[in-house]
Each structure stands twice: as structure tokens, then as C-alpha cells.
Amino acid sequence: MNLIKLCTLPLLATALVMTGCASRKPATEITTGNNLGAGSTTATTVNTTGLNEDAALNAQNMAGASAKGVTEANKAFLAKRVVHFDYDSSELSAEDYQTLQGHAQFLVANANSRVALTGHTDERGTREYNMALGERRAKAVQSFLLTNGVQAQQLEAVSYGKEMPVNPGHDEAAWKENRRVELNYEAVPPLLK
């Protein structure tokens, strides 16, 4: 069974209990089958002990819907969750188009999936300029996904500017890593095997 599923589902149930979305009910197990293409199928059992009906359905969706839209052709693209940009640019590259097309296919197949698109910049420039540039980058990714059939309610574009670097260095290599948009799945992420 996929390690991510083993870790994610108990966390989902815990989060539902902690946020008050769950109530005490008898234990129930939901078994779902995921068709991963090419004749391969996996079964996932979700223990919904203590979850109310809505929370149990969400747990089932998390377990079962996550494999829709995952094909052998787009697995490599779905594994990539970061798009990088050139200095002072919000233009997508041809490689980015392929990556984002894979995510668009997944999101179209999974209407209950949601993604936060977080735009980031390197440390050069003012805070205000970098916030605007990070937003342009996130909006560029959002625009591409919308154009390829993703529903607007599935996407949220946010800018962090230069506030959250992944590389704290002060050279071109660090700056290149920090100029990015991250695709952060908030619900039903693609689980790759």
C-alpha cells in the first residue's frame, strides 16, 4: 500500500476530530479500489471510527479519488510541484507547460481537489515589488490551469514575495531556487506509486 496513503489518512481523521468535524459513531471501514491504469488496482481501507457521515465521506474521497487522473504519462509531471522562473519574470517555459498540463488533467478528473499556488521571489528588490511579482507568477500558473479546464474554485493564488526562501543563500544558485510557484494540494492530492 502506498506509504503516503498510510500517513495521510490517519492525519485526515485526526484533523477532522480536532476541528470538530467528527462525532462519535460506531467504527466503520470503507474499502475503495483505485484503478491506476494498465490493469493495476489497489485497495485502500479507511477506518472511519468516530467520524460523522460527512467526515467519513471525505475520508473515502481522500482514499479513492486520489488516483483519478494519474496516468503513466503524467506521473512524472505530477511529481513535480514547483515551477521556476527567470529573474524578474512571470513567463512559463515549455517544460512548465508540460508539468502544468499533467496537474490540469488531474484536477479536471478530481473536482474535489484544491491547490494553493504560492508565488515566491528571490531576495533582490523591495518587499512591495516582490509581493507583486510573486502574485504575477502565481496568477500565470492559475491562468494556465484555468485555460486547461480546471475550475476556479479549485485554485487559490497567493504571493509570499521574498518572505519564504527555500535556499537562504545570497548567490545566483540560491536566487534561482527561490524564484518559484509551489503547487500545494490542500485536498485530494495525486498519490503516486
Side-chain angles (χ1 to χ4, degrees), residues 1-11 81 189-193:
M1 187 180 301
N2 192 322
L3 178 61
I4 294 172
K5 282 184 183 177
L6 290 173
C7 296
T8 305
L9 294 173
L11 291 174
R81 304 274 175 94
L191 299 178
L192 309 173
K193 195 166 187 182

Side-chain angles (χ1 to χ4, degrees), residues 32-130:
T32 62
N34 293 335
N35 185 353
L36 300 177
S40 155
T41 302
T42 62
T44 303
T45 301
V46 180
N47 184 344
T48 60
T49 303
L51 301 182
N52 66 26
E53 207 168 297
D54 290 336
L57 183 58
N58 284 339
Q60 180 181 8
N61 287 341
M62 190 73 164
S66 58
K68 289 183 200 172
V70 178
T71 64
E72 289 300 321
N74 72 0
K75 273 186 183 179
F77 300 122
L78 287 171
K80 185 176 178 192
R81 304 274 175 94
V82 179
V83 176
H84 288 95
F85 292 85
D86 289 333
Y87 174 71
D88 199 29
S89 173
S90 59
E91 298 293 319
L92 296 167
S93 70
E95 181 184 336
D96 297 334
Y97 289 138
Q98 291 179 322
T99 297
L100 294 174
Q101 184 62 44
H103 285 279
Q105 288 172 359
F106 175 81
L107 289 164
V108 167
N110 295 278
N112 56 343
S113 293
R114 286 180 299 287
V115 178
L117 307 168
T118 58
H120 303 269
T121 65
D122 62 38
E123 66 185 350
R124 297 172 290 178
T126 66
R127 182 182 187 283
E128 294 77 18
Y129 180 81
N130 282 317

